[in-house]
Amino acid sequence: MMEGVPTVPRNAPLPATSTDEARVAAVRAWFREAGRDLPWRDDATSPWAVLVSEVMLQQTPVVRVEPVWRAWMERWPTPAALAAATQADAVRAWGRLGYPRRAKRLWECAVALVSLHGGRVPSDLDELRALPGVGDYTAAAVVSFAFRGRALVLDTNVRRVIGRAWRAEPLPAAHQTVGERAHAASLIPGDDAAAAEWAAASMELGALVCTARVARCDECPLASSCAWFAAGCPGLAAAPRRTQPWHGTDRQVRGRIMALLRAASSPLNVAGHAALADVEPGQLDRALEGLLDDGLITRDEATGRCSL
Ligand code: SF4
C-alpha cells in the first residue's frame, strides 16, 4: 500500500480531505482534455434529451445508443411529442437496443411529464424519482448532467474508480452500502458546476481508463495516489469477462419475437411462425408470456395473433 494513501473501509466514510480535493480536481482536468464529445453532453442538449440518453445508456454501450438516440430525438424532441405517439411506436423505435421494457417505461415517463409537469423535465431529485422508469441513478444523472446540479451520481464506473483509487478494491460489491454512498458523497465538490463535472469525469474515467477488465494506469490522472495501483492491482485477472450468456437464452428468444413484431405490418401468429421453428415450444411459450406480462406486446384472444 502506498504510504500516505488513505484506505476507507466500505462502512466507514471519511470526510473529504485536501488530498481528496486534489484528486477530484485532477480527474476533472483530465476530463476536460480527454472526455468524449458525446452529443448528449452538448450544453444545448435539453433535459429531456439527457433523460432519454440516460435511459438508453443503461446496460447498453455508447456506440449502439448514439444512432438510436439521434433518431429518437429527431422524431420526439419533447416529452409531449413522445406522449402523443403510441407505446408500440416507442417500442418499435427502440430497435435492437435491448431490454425493451425501457422503451415502454420511457413512453410512460413522457406521458407523466405531460400530465404532471406540463411537459417539462423537473430538476428536483424527488420529482424525478417519482417518474416511471426513473430510479436513484437516473434521477441523479439528470440533475447533474441536464441541470448541472449537485447530486450523487454513482454508477458502476464511478464506484469502480473510487473503490480502486481510495480503497484498493478491485471491483465494486454487488450492492451499494450506506457507507459507500456516504464516502462517494463526501468527494462531491461543493460548487454545482464542479460537482456536475466530477460526476461526468469520474464516470468517463471508469468507462475509458479504469475499466472492469483493464486498468490503463499509465494514462490515469489518479495513478500517483491510487491505492489499488500502489498495491500492484491485485485481483485484476479475476475480473469477470463481459461475455454474458445470450445464444439460446429466453432473452434471446424474446429479442427474436420483438424483432419479428417490429418488422410486421399486421398481427402475427408468433407461436407457429416459421422463423421461430427452431425454438423449443416450452421456451417459446415462456418468452411470449413474459413479453405479454411485461405489456410489451398484445395478443388478440380471438385469433391468438400478436402485435406491438
Ligand atoms: S491508477 Fe489505475 S487502478 Fe487506479 S484509478 Fe487509475 S486506472 Fe484505476
Side-chain angles (χ1 to χ4, degrees):
M1 188 69 55
M2 179 180 280
E3 202 177 318
V5 173
T7 56
V8 183
R10 189 178 298 282
N11 289 310
L14 297 178
T17 66
S18 59
T19 307
D20 292 338
E21 285 159 15
R23 293 160 118 188
V24 166
V27 174
R28 289 172 50 209
W30 166 85
F31 179 67
R32 290 195 285 275
E33 292 294 318
R36 288 170 292 181
D37 191 15
L38 301 176
W40 43 83
R41 287 186 178 154
D42 192 292
D43 283 343
T45 303
S46 71
W48 167 242
V50 171
L51 173 55
V52 172
S53 76
E54 285 301 329
V55 174
M56 288 185 172
L57 286 164
Q58 290 162 16
Q59 298 164 296
T60 310
V62 164
V63 65
R64 287 179 56 204
V65 165
E66 188 169 341
V68 181
W69 178 85
R70 286 186 186 281
W72 189 284
M73 296 318 304
E74 180 90 21
R75 186 171 178 187
W76 297 308
T78 62
L82 179 58
T86 65
Q87 178 190 300
D89 288 336
V91 172
R92 196 171 281 115
W94 198 254
R96 302 180 68 83
L97 277 187
Y99 302 100
R101 256 171 294 196
R102 294 179 294 171
K104 176 175 182 280
R105 300 294 274 165
L106 197 48
W107 177 80
E108 291 168 350
C109 180
V111 171
L113 286 170
V114 170
S115 61
L116 301 175
H117 298 283
R120 300 173 67 86
V121 176
S123 58
D124 178 80
L125 206 53
D126 290 333
E127 290 183 336
L128 284 162
R129 274 201 210 101
L131 293 166
V134 178
D136 283 349
Y137 165 76
T138 305
V142 170
V143 168
S144 182
F145 304 145
F147 297 103
R148 303 286 191 262
R150 211 169 165 272
L152 177 58
V153 183
L154 199 54
D155 80 337
T156 188
N157 285 322
V158 179
R159 294 181 69 208
R160 188 170 54 252
V161 167
I162 294 175
R164 285 177 177 173
W166 270 264
R167 299 190 296 266
E169 296 169 355
L171 291 170
H175 302 290
Q176 297 177 18
T177 64
V178 172
E180 181 187 1
R181 290 180 67 80
H183 178 225
S186 76
L187 301 176
I188 302 173
D191 172 73
D192 280 2
E197 188 176 59
W198 159 245
S202 52
M203 193 177 296
E204 189 78 332
L205 191 65
L208 299 182
V209 174
C210 191
T211 74
R213 292 181 58 190
V214 181
R216 300 182 176 89
C217 304
D218 54 342
E219 300 172 24
C220 181
L222 294 174
S224 63
S225 64
C226 176
W228 194 55
F229 180 53
C233 302
L236 185 61
R241 295 185 168 269
R242 285 176 55 84
T243 49
Q244 296 177 332
W246 166 253
H247 189 75
T249 60
D250 285 7
R251 242 193 94 214
Q252 188 210 18
V253 176
R254 285 168 60 107
R256 289 175 63 185
I257 295 171
M258 291 299 289
L260 265 183
L261 294 179
R262 271 198 305 272
S265 53
S266 58
L268 290 182
N269 174 10
V270 171
H273 201 283
L276 297 167
D278 60 312
V279 181
E280 190 268 317
Q283 186 178 38
L284 187 54
D285 276 354
R286 211 162 49 234
L288 199 51
E289 293 303 323
L291 291 170
L292 288 163
D293 285 350
D294 288 345
L296 289 168
I297 65 174
T298 58
R299 181 166 55 197
D300 183 311
E301 291 308 326
T303 64
R305 291 176 176 269
C306 297
S307 55
L308 292 181

